[in-house]
């Protein structure tokens, strides 16, 4: 079996270093917001090229807290892609704001900048961009739109650790960015974890309080905050793995490039790299086909595991019943046709060749 993602093997590469970091953590006697979190925040901010990194419990909290720090709430609107994982939209709902869904560019699957201004109203306060599958959005026109209308840009970087746009890394392309370190991400913890990056000093200071019950000082609460702190244990693991993130992303590029060069089947629509080849970090390698279920069955016969990201668009989820009659045809088409092929930094070229041969034989 060629697994979609071999998390066990990915993490066992760092077994010695992880055990050493966990031993250091265990013997420190300090288990909440200590040196491990402080060190990782400093390292990840430097990696992203930002002034601040604030560790939080997960990626959804990261986005929600950013919106809260910018005083976005009931009566406000936030633009968000209609083609995304539901967490991006849940973050907007969680603060009481209204999501304004915008269709994607069918070639890149990211939000289409040309469609953004069509939905802006006087109540619109921010654009929440999602760098989907490992490729950043086309940020220059989005930044120009945000500047014209006085909007904040919030990045959802859950799938784009290390991705680059015009020389800047994801997480440093807007006002603030939310990251998820869910185990399956390019930079994954050993459980749920997240972070926020920003160059905004005021917002960073507020976020450090918001994640900690709204408190900078114990028993003194300036804001109505939450408990959403990055655990010391996850911070220690992330520091170990961050050192090899670029190396692992390069391995993903090698697998992706092999797929792009050797898959030759008219029934398969391959992904498009919009920017330079080294800008994409290939969190997912997503193809499209009109006969997805048949292709899945075919790959299963070859003992190849492929997954669907994602089968149901957000506006068709029961959680948003009020949107059931809305029509987002491109997003619906994408969700009906996409299939993610095995993609992992521990895949070897023989496994990639087996995937290619199976697809070409379909």
């Amino acid at each position: 079996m060629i697994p979609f993602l071999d998390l066990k093997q990915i993490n066992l590469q760092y077994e010695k270093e992880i055990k050493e970091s966990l031993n250091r953590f265990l013997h420190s006697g300090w288990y909440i917001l200590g040196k491990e979190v402080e060190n990782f925040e400093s390292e990840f901010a430097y990696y992203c090229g930002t002034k601040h990194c604030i560790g939080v419990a997960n990626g959804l909290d990261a986005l929600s807290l950013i919106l809260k720090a910018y005083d976005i709430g009931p009566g406000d609107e936030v633009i968000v892609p209609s083609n995304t994982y539901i967490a991006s939209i849940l973050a907007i709902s969680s603060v009481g704001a209204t999501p304004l869904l915008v269709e994607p560019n069918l070639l890149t699957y990211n939000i289409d900048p040309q469609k953004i201004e069509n939905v802006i109203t006087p109540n619109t306060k921010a654009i929440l961009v999602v760098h989907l599958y490992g490729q950043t959005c086309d940020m220059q026109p989005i930044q120009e739109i945000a500047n014209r209308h006085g909007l904040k840009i919030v990045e959802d970087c859950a799938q784009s650790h290390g991705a680059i746009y015009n020389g800047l890394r994801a997480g440093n392309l807007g006002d603030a960015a939310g990251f998820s370190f869910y185990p399956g991400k390019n930079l994954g913890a050993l459980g749920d974890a997240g972070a926020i990056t920003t160059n905004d000093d005021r917002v960073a200071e507020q976020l450090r309080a918001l994640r900690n019950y709204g408190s900078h000082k114990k028993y003194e609460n300036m804001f109505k905050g939450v408990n959403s702190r990055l655990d010391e244990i996850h911070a220690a693991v992330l520091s170990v793995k961050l050192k090899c993130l670029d190396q692992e992303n390069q391995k993903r590029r090698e697998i992706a490039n092999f797929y792009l060069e050797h898959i030759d089947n008219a029934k398969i629509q391959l992904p498009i790299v919009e920017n330079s080849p080294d800008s994409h970090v290939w969190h997912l390698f997503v193809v499209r086909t009109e006969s997805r279920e048949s292709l899945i069955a075919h790959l299963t016969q070859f003992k190849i595991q492929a997954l669907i990201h994602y089968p149901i668009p957000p506006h068709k989820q029961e959680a948003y019943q009020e949107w059931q009659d809305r029509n987002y045809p491109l997003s619906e088409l994408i969700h009906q046709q996409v299939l993610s092929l095995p993609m992992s930094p521990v895949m070897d070229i023989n496994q990639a060749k087996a995937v290619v041969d199976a697809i070409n034989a379909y």
Side-chain angles (χ1 to χ4, degrees), residues 10-316:
I10 288 173
N11 287 312
L12 283 178
Q13 298 176 102
Y14 307 105
E15 182 176 11
K16 179 177 180 292
E17 294 90 343
I18 288 175
K19 284 182 176 178
E20 289 173 353
S21 68
L22 296 183
N23 188 59
R24 181 179 68 244
F25 153 76
L26 181 63
H27 286 86
S28 71
W30 191 285
Y31 306 124
I32 298 288
L33 294 184
K35 286 292 183 184
E36 301 297 344
V37 168
E38 184 180 317
N39 290 341
F40 174 72
E41 288 177 339
S42 175
E43 292 162 359
F44 196 63
Y46 179 79
Y47 177 83
C48 293
T50 58
K51 292 173 66 175
H52 305 283
C53 170
I54 301 95
V56 295
N58 54 70
L60 175 55
D61 283 358
L63 296 175
S64 301
L65 289 172
I66 291 169
L67 296 175
K68 194 169 184 178
Y70 281 118
D71 297 319
I72 293 173
D76 297 329
E77 299 167 342
V78 178
I79 293 169
V80 65
S82 55
N83 176 49
T84 183
Y85 183 55
I86 198 169
S88 311
I89 296 169
L90 288 174
I92 300 168
S93 297
S94 72
V95 298
T98 300
L100 299 178
L101 275 57
V102 172
E103 285 267 73
N105 178 322
L106 191 56
L107 294 179
T108 66
Y109 309 115
N110 281 327
I111 192 169
D112 188 339
Q114 296 183 20
K115 298 173 183 175
I116 290 176
E117 284 190 289
N118 296 336
V119 303
I120 294 175
T121 79
N123 295 323
T124 307
K125 295 296 188 292
I127 304 170
L128 197 163
V129 298
V130 182
H131 305 311
L132 205 61
Y133 306 152
Q135 179 167 221
T136 67
C137 298
D138 187 6
M139 291 303 297
Q140 184 173 334
I142 294 173
Q143 289 164 342
E144 291 170 357
I145 292 168
N147 290 339
R148 277 199 299 272
H149 296 273
L151 306 179
K152 296 296 182 184
I153 295 179
V154 179
E155 298 174 76
D156 182 340
C157 298
Q159 299 187 10
S160 60
H161 309 77
I164 294 173
Y165 180 88
N166 286 351
L168 297 176
R169 289 197 192 274
N172 193 21
L173 299 172
D175 293 283
F179 286 84
S180 167
F181 301 123
Y182 180 80
K185 304 301 185 184
N186 289 36
L187 179 60
L190 299 184
D192 276 320
I196 298 163
T197 56
T198 184
N199 293 308
D200 189 326
D201 296 336
R202 181 196 68 80
V203 162
E205 182 179 5
Q206 187 171 347
L207 285 165
R208 293 187 189 282
L210 284 171
R211 70 171 175 185
N212 188 38
Y213 300 100
S215 172
H216 282 299
K217 183 177 180 182
K218 196 169 185 179
Y219 303 128
E220 295 182 12
N221 304 83
M222 298 174 61
F223 309 103
K224 296 174 182 176
V226 298
N227 177 13
S228 181
R229 302 173 296 210
L230 176 62
D231 288 330
E232 283 281 284
I233 192 169
H234 290 313
V237 171
L238 289 167
S239 285
V240 168
K241 297 178 70 176
L242 177 59
K243 295 177 176 64
C244 296
L245 177 56
D246 285 343
Q247 177 183 328
E248 290 206 353
N249 283 343
Q250 181 57 33
K251 290 180 180 178
R252 288 174 178 268
R253 289 190 194 99
E254 291 169 5
I255 298 298
N257 289 337
F258 188 86
Y259 284 161
L260 291 171
E261 291 171 8
H262 294 93
I263 291 177
D264 185 14
N265 188 319
K267 294 182 178 180
I268 307 299
Q269 174 67 52
L270 294 172
I272 301 295
V273 180
E274 191 173 46
N275 301 309
S276 62
D278 62 351
S279 65
H280 202 314
V281 294
W282 297 103
H283 173 62
L284 299 172
F285 189 95
V286 178
V287 300
R288 283 201 350 260
T289 177
E290 295 180 1
S291 50
R292 181 169 66 190
E293 297 307 319
S294 173
L295 178 57
I296 291 172
H298 172 79
L299 292 174
T300 301
Q301 290 181 338
F302 285 84
K303 298 183 177 181
I304 295 169
Q305 183 186 33
L307 300 180
I308 301 171
H309 296 87
Y310 303 94
I312 305 172
H315 71 282
K316 293 297 184 183

Side-chain angles (χ1 to χ4, degrees), residues 103 315-316 323-330 332:
E103 285 267 73
H315 71 282
K316 293 297 184 183
W323 295 346
Q324 293 293 317
D325 60 349
R326 292 191 184 183
N327 184 29
Y328 298 101
L330 292 182
E332 290 167 21

